[in-house]
Amino acid sequence: MSTTVDTATAMPSRRRRLGTTELVYMALLGVVVIGAVIVAISGGNLLSTANTVEMLSRSSLLGFVALGQTFVILCRSLDLSVGYVMALSSLIGATTMAGDPARIPLGIAAVVLVAGGIGLANGLIIAVLKVNPFITTLGMGLIIKGYLDTRYKGPAGAVPEAFRQFGYTRIGFVPLSAAVMLLAMAAGIAYLRTSRTGYHMYAVGGSEDVARLSGIRTGRVMITAHVLCSIAAGVAGLLIAARFGTGSALVYSSGYELDSIAAVVLGGTFLMGGRGGVAGTLAGVLILAELDTVFNVLQVDPFFKEVLRGVVIIAAVAIYARRQVERRATRARFGGDGDDGGTGPGRAPDRPPDSTAGGADGDQVVAGHGGDR
Amino acid sequence: MTASTPEAAGGGAAVSTHLLRMRGISKSFLGVRVLHGVDLDLRAGEVHALVGENGAGKSTLMKILAGVHQADSGTVELDGAAVAFEHPLQAQQARVSTVFQEFNLLPDRTVAENVFLGREPRTRGMVDARRMNADTAQLLADLGLTWLTPQAPVRSLSVAGQQIVEIVKALSYDARIISMDEPTAALADEEVDLLYRLIARLRERGVAILYVSHRLKEIFDLCDRVTVLKDGALVDTVDTATLRPDELVRMMVGRPISSFFPDKLPGTAPGDVRLRVTGGGNDQLDGIDLEVRAGEITCLAGLQGSGRTEIAHALFGIARFTRGTVQVDGRTVRLRSPRQAVRTGLALVTEDRKAEGLALNQSVAANARLVLDAVDPRRAAARARRIPGLLSSLDLVARGPDQEVRFLSGGNQQKVVLAKWLATEPSVIVLDEPTRGIDVGAKHRVYTLMRELAADGVAILMVSSELPEVIGMADRVIVLRDGRIAGELPGGTTEEAVMALATGQVPGGPMS
């Protein structure tokens, strides 16, 4: 008898579910296939080199920002200042480099330092002063915006030709910027999977109390995530400078903070923290970039394009939320209930259980290993 | 897997060493004494039960041992050395672990990740997932739990599996003392069996286990000694071998019912059946047959998690019945939402006043009108005229109708909640722990209010975990156990009789 109990308790869900990340990549595949078919019907080729290059260059900018955003969202935080950090970084990078190839490392260092400092400030305010992340980073964004608006009236600085290669060079059909972004994503995946801090980000986001009671210094984890997030936004700023050849304050109005959050959530990372990862974010970024490319090729009205993007994001999150609700379903003590049972006499208590509620018969106490848990 | 039985594994030489001595532990919360001068000893390799009614101070004592709370006075000695844990982590590092009722696990992470959380093994600076999984597998194998995979996400495990992961986590700190708060409360029978075998293994290793439980059978099956608390004071510590179940029940309850409860008002008599549930059930309840009559106070009693609150919630359409029928005043109704329930003439004073009963940062007047405004806005203004009278008849002490309710005392907050529901003139009122956390004066007012309502012909269904209250107020007591009705007792029954039904123990009879 003991063996039956043991196996029963260890039994995994009987309905095998796809992991969220796998689901996101299937969605990406779906978007590519459906997009290619639609584009083909209208006489184009979505998978042509030109379109692929466009898609990848589009994705690289958002990729960096979303990578950083993944870390903070995993910690149950978020960063609304990334757009301003990008703008500031593009200006700092371009003015520091001032057209001199020898000053490229200096420019990069300055950006990393300033962006990292902003992240440090965000993290400290959130972790030490316990200010809500939404407010903290919104306020930080406004502070940077005020500085940019008074200090820079237009584009400033110049990026040396050598650094502009970061924006334009291609390796085969892969733009250099996209290759760097993919490397950064890979590093992000490795970081979350092999560093203690990476592990602890999941813990802090999953439950700060559990993390603290397990001896994790939750504040440090939160600060690290914010520093990484701001630095990633700084790198995106450098990429902008490389593309434009100069720093531009106006990037902050491009809505990267919300796009990056959308990409992260689209990638299956739980907005309330503790679950998800960089691999999903990459897929989320690629989905958004591919959608944009399809809309561009089809010359969809830009306003309608935004509407479609909004619909896609909400639909995706609705699907995740639905899965979430099912998973959270309370442990049933008694089997035999459908999802929406009536109170009518037709539903007798001895009705046999359906597949959603454990496995025991109506009269027996059901062990909590039903398919939906 | 053939684990040796507890009887064979316990006993012997290991049991004589005192691992833990707690002496004269006292603790007050907000001026209310919850523990006074409690002593507790734990020996290595023993399973020590800690029992008592709700509010006896078991949880507080356990949390002091775990470092969650700090004692106001008294000493704790671990292996002869005085300790004072200020943080749960300190207790854990001193090899004192606690498995709380609410799980301290990350459901989205794997078993191994949870066990080694905060202490992930590393090789060359990188987390060594392989070693972590291997170490976890080793820990599991040592306990004969080979069916648990270190890589399985905790979410995929049964409640028992999750409980076991908690215990394994505690053991990975090399715990010498593990306290468990009602570990079987959420477990099905065959899962309990699993836990028993694990506890037997722990005892073999010389781990002392403090076992908090309401279930008498478990105490006699598992435990070597039992410490009984009552009203925050130590009753006694005795060997279970020399104890009879009915003696234990008497130690836990057995206090005279005070004359604190007001008598029935003259002319109160049970009238028609106002509320009838036939064969009610959902995933937490089964076979609920219930009648509540006008002018009668019916009480739902039972242990924590036995389904008392679940019935209240099912009636009010929160976690509704999915089987059976509900009739109000003879009409069959389908209660699918609180709104429908209110319109049918039901009222529910919830257990958690602050979270579910009040909009804390709104005024007394706004809170009292809340249900009227929400459910019947057109007649709200007219019906709200009764509210000031209701509030003053309840002896509400507040600066005025504009005062925010969060500044009121618990008792006065409860009066606002009661006024809110009385304003709807319900025909059936469900009171879930109506006197929890309120002072004696307010309690008395709630009791007299219940008598007044009964005299007015309102049907009252009270849920309470305080046995004196159940016995002092109820005309009929319905005792629940594990989501089913265990039996019905007449008013004026004894606490022993209620506890016997609630725990499944026949008083004076042999163990089942």
Side-chain angles (χ1 to χ4, degrees), chain A residues 27-37 46-47 55 290 294:
Chain A
L28 173 61
L29 191 70
V31 168
V32 171
V33 170
I34 295 169
V37 169
L46 183 66
L47 303 175
M55 192 274 278
E290 191 68 302
V294 171

Side-chain angles (χ1 to χ4, degrees), chain A residues 99-133:
Chain A
D100 181 357
R103 289 169 65 89
I104 291 175
L106 195 65
I108 295 175
V111 164
V112 170
L113 217 65
V114 171
I118 293 169
L120 182 68
N122 278 336
L124 282 171
I125 294 168
I126 292 164
V128 180
L129 301 182
K130 306 284 176 206
V131 178
N132 180 301

Side-chain angles (χ1 to χ4, degrees), chain A residues 27-288:
Chain A
L28 173 61
L29 191 70
V31 168
V32 171
V33 170
I34 295 169
V37 169
I38 294 175
V39 170
I41 290 170
S42 63
N45 178 9
L46 183 66
L47 303 175
S48 70
T49 311
N51 284 336
T52 308
V53 168
E54 194 203 318
M55 192 274 278
L56 287 173
S57 350
R58 234 177 244 288
S59 66
S60 51
L61 206 50
L62 182 58
F64 285 114
V65 190
L67 169 64
Q69 197 73 260
T70 308
F71 295 127
V72 289
I73 290 182
L74 272 182
C75 292
R76 202 175 192 157
S77 182
L78 89 180
D79 192 341
L80 295 176
S81 67
V82 284
Y84 303 99
V85 174
M86 280 170 75
L88 181 66
S89 300
S90 75
L91 286 161
I92 290 177
T95 49
T96 312
M97 290 177 195
D100 181 357
R103 289 169 65 89
I104 291 175
L106 195 65
I108 295 175
V111 164
V112 170
L113 217 65
V114 171
I118 293 169
L120 182 68
N122 278 336
L124 282 171
I125 294 168
I126 292 164
V128 180
L129 301 182
K130 306 284 176 206
V131 178
N132 180 301
F134 189 97
I135 301 300
T136 306
T137 57
L138 188 68
M140 184 60 75
L142 289 176
I143 293 170
I144 302 170
K145 178 177 187 290
Y147 173 75
L148 290 174
D149 289 351
T150 38
R151 177 84 171 66
Y152 299 97
K153 302 295 179 198
V159 172
E161 198 51 42
F163 191 70
R164 297 203 66 180
Q165 299 305 313
F166 179 39
Y168 289 113
T169 308
R170 276 162 41 187
I171 308 161
F173 62 91
V174 182
L176 178 62
S177 59
V180 175
M181 184 271 285
L182 290 172
L183 282 177
M185 287 280 188
I189 293 172
Y191 181 72
L192 285 178
R193 290 199 184 153
T194 61
S195 77
R196 269 195 185 172
T197 314
Y199 272 70
H200 296 171
M201 283 179 186
Y202 286 96
V204 170
S207 162
E208 198 168 350
D209 287 337
V210 171
R212 192 179 298 113
L213 291 183
S214 301
I216 293 170
R217 279 175 287 212
T218 52
R220 288 190 183 191
V221 177
M222 183 66 91
I223 292 168
T224 310
H226 273 280
V227 169
L228 288 174
C229 177
S230 289
I231 290 178
V235 174
L238 282 173
L239 177 55
I240 284 179
R243 290 230 175 111
F244 291 178
T246 176
S248 165
L250 295 177
V251 192
Y252 67 60
S253 57
S254 308
Y256 275 102
E257 54 281 340
L258 296 184
D259 273 2
S260 62
I261 293 171
V264 170
V265 174
L266 200 54
T269 296
F270 191 32
L271 194 52
M272 289 294 138
R275 189 173 70 232
V278 169
T281 299
L282 176 60
V285 167
L286 292 176
I287 288 175
L288 287 180

Side-chain angles (χ1 to χ4, degrees), chain A residues 1 5 331 364-367, chain B residues 184 186-197 215 218 482:
Chain A
M1 124 120 232
V5 169
R331 174 177 185 279
Q364 193 184 324
V365 176
V366 177
Chain B
T184 55
L187 301 189
D189 288 349
E190 66 269 25
E191 297 174 321
V192 171
D193 203 46
L194 204 65
L195 186 75
Y196 274 26
R197 275 182 272 142
R215 302 189 180 184
E218 288 169 15
D482 295 334

Side-chain angles (χ1 to χ4, degrees), chain B residues 132-155:
Chain B
M132 192 164 78
N133 287 332
D135 288 356
T136 309
Q138 186 61 49
L139 276 169
L140 292 170
D142 287 352
L143 295 166
L145 301 168
T146 42
W147 49 271
L148 257 176
T149 18
Q151 292 91 340
V154 162
R155 191 186 284 287

Side-chain angles (χ1 to χ4, degrees), chain B residues 193-225:
Chain B
D193 203 46
L194 204 65
L195 186 75
Y196 274 26
R197 275 182 272 142
L198 182 59
I199 287 174
R201 289 259 182 161
L202 298 180
R203 189 210 305 248
E204 281 173 59
R205 296 172 154 208
V207 175
I209 293 165
L210 184 65
Y211 191 90
V212 176
S213 181
H214 277 301
R215 302 189 180 184
L216 296 192
K217 185 172 183 306
E218 288 169 15
I219 290 161
F220 285 95
D221 282 358
L222 268 183
C223 302
D224 304 295
R225 293 193 300 161

